[in-house]
Amino acid sequence: MIETIECLYDEIHGPKITPYELLENVKLPNYISVDFSTDSNNNIVAYTKCLLEHGDYVVFTYVFDKDNKLLSLKSTIYGIEDELYNRKTEIEKFYQLASQSLKPILKAI
């Protein structure tokens, strides 16, 4: 149960990765670019383009809030988008697990 609560805390408060840390990716030999912009909600959106071993490209789209916390991460390869991480979904998952662990067990007498 403590591990679940620690995971919930980490999902709420932990940054996972920051926009600044993404800049380091551009130094890697298989990364082509790291670009930043903002969306209509003033979130930071980062796009990284990466060359895979077999020669194809993948684009990773990171969305960060104003506190630089990762909100979501998606990959796009061959035109197919896949959500790899969603903070809201992870918080809900660990909240449910923690809630179930904290509910008292009722026994019929």
Side-chain angles (χ1 to χ4, degrees):
M1 179 176 80
I2 290 175
E3 183 178 313
T4 300
I5 293 172
E6 288 173 349
C7 289
L8 176 59
Y9 181 88
D10 185 52
E11 291 301 332
I12 293 170
H13 299 289
K16 302 295 181 193
I17 188 170
T18 67
Y20 308 109
E21 292 170 322
L22 283 181
L23 289 174
E24 290 296 313
N25 285 1
V26 82
K27 296 177 184 177
L28 299 173
N30 61 323
Y31 273 78
I32 308 304
S33 63
V34 177
D35 299 306
F36 292 95
S37 64
T38 56
D39 65 12
S40 59
N41 296 320
N42 288 323
N43 292 320
I44 299 167
V45 181
Y47 302 94
T48 64
K49 189 173 183 181
C50 179
L51 181 63
L52 300 175
E53 288 179 10
H54 53 279
D56 293 313
Y57 292 97
V58 62
V59 174
F60 294 101
T61 304
Y62 300 78
V63 178
F64 300 91
D65 68 9
K66 63 180 174 49
D67 298 318
N68 295 327
K69 290 182 185 172
L70 180 64
L71 299 177
S72 67
L73 169 59
K74 295 178 181 177
S75 68
T76 305
I77 186 168
Y78 307 120
I80 300 169
E81 187 175 87
D82 186 28
E83 186 170 61
L84 305 175
Y85 176 78
N86 183 300
R87 183 177 294 268
K88 184 178 178 182
T89 302
E90 293 299 308
I91 288 171
E92 289 173 3
K93 178 177 80 175
F94 286 110
Y95 178 81
Q96 289 297 325
L97 289 170
S99 294
Q100 291 170 1
S101 298
L102 295 173
K103 288 182 183 175
I105 300 172
L106 300 176
K107 294 184 179 181
I109 298 177

